[in-house]
Amino acid sequence: MSQSLAVAAADESWMESAQNLAAELSLPYLGAVDPAETDSFAQLLMVGDALSLCATGRKAPGPVWVDFVGGAVAHRRKFGGGKGQQIAKAVGVRGGFYPRVVDATAGLGRDAFVLASLGCEVLMLERNPVVRALLRDGLRRLRDAAETDSELAPIAARLSLDDSGLPASEWLVKQPAESIPVVYLDPMFPQREKSARVKKEMVAFHQLVGSDEDADALLEPAYAACYYRTVVKRPRVAPFLAGQKPSVSLEGKSGRFDVYTRHGMSRHGMSRHGMSRHGMSRQGMSNKE
């Protein structure tokens, strides 16, 4: 773990939790400090009401945290277009069919939350231990909010995090062949220097995570593990993952979803959440479905 990152507490009441997290992640612990007054580390993992990643210094951008309750995700949940969204079409959501999804490159979990809000059961994988800690904290706050919010309760029940810490390629290889309905991949793509779309607060996150240089190695184990399809989210101008042409691509203004289909899902004996009594159907379906 890079020593450009340390753990700190938002105030004295969070010091014990912060110290425990620092030990878990093998990171330096600074006590209760203000990120704006700190310059000995480039970033701080701040423990408080919400766990957040903060750049340090007086002119640093705002913090990054996982928010499954308010802000942009709440707006998208209510006004984002529901099943008409490209991501819903890409994973195959339609009618009463909500496939189970493994988001193998979860990041901050935004797409995973969208899929869970649409009705899919979603398991998030994330190999970076700091990002995994952010996801775990976001899930904790989602479940706390779900206790008093009937709209969030079913979403919280459908969203989970694998805490093994295994790289996605290793995790996928360990799964039985064709055992996962949908594998979703959104590997970090190198930021173009001229891009103005990246918010300043996300720069610290990109610096922490870096680009997924081994992204091409994900496609083969993902496709082997999936039953229905593997979906890859890419910038619009990016090459196909591993150089493999998808069955179909759904393009938007700045990005696209490459869909690698394997089998179809039978409409017979299927519950409203897309699973038959015996698990998965073997009936074929065309790529357009």
Side-chain angles (χ1 to χ4, degrees), residues 20-167:
N20 290 338
L21 181 62
E24 175 188 335
L25 298 176
S26 300
L27 287 172
Y29 169 63
L30 302 187
V33 300
D34 182 351
E37 302 297 331
T38 303
D39 57 11
S40 54
F41 291 87
Q43 300 175 6
L44 295 182
L45 196 56
M46 295 293 299
V47 178
D49 291 328
L51 183 66
S52 59
L53 180 67
C54 302
T56 58
R58 292 185 178 276
K59 295 184 179 181
V64 174
W65 68 94
V66 172
D67 185 2
F68 293 138
V69 178
V73 295
H75 185 272
R76 186 171 177 182
R77 173 167 58 88
K78 295 175 181 178
F79 309 109
K83 297 175 185 176
Q85 298 176 74
Q86 289 284 66
I87 190 173
K89 297 176 182 177
V91 303
V93 172
R94 66 184 185 280
F97 174 42
Y98 308 90
R100 182 167 54 87
V101 179
V102 170
D103 183 349
T105 53
L108 294 174
R110 292 168 181 170
D111 286 345
F113 179 84
V114 169
L115 291 171
S117 69
L118 293 173
C120 299
E121 291 184 12
V122 185
L123 174 65
M124 299 182 289
L125 309 182
E126 176 51 55
R127 65 179 173 183
N128 186 291
V130 173
V131 181
R132 200 163 57 249
L134 292 171
L135 285 169
R136 190 169 60 227
D137 182 71
L139 276 175
R140 174 187 62 80
R141 286 179 282 107
L142 171 63
R143 288 164 181 162
D144 287 346
E147 292 181 1
T148 56
D149 188 325
S150 59
E151 291 187 3
L152 288 177
I155 300 174
R158 290 191 289 263
L159 190 61
S160 60
L161 173 67
D162 175 80
D163 210 31
S164 69
L166 288 174

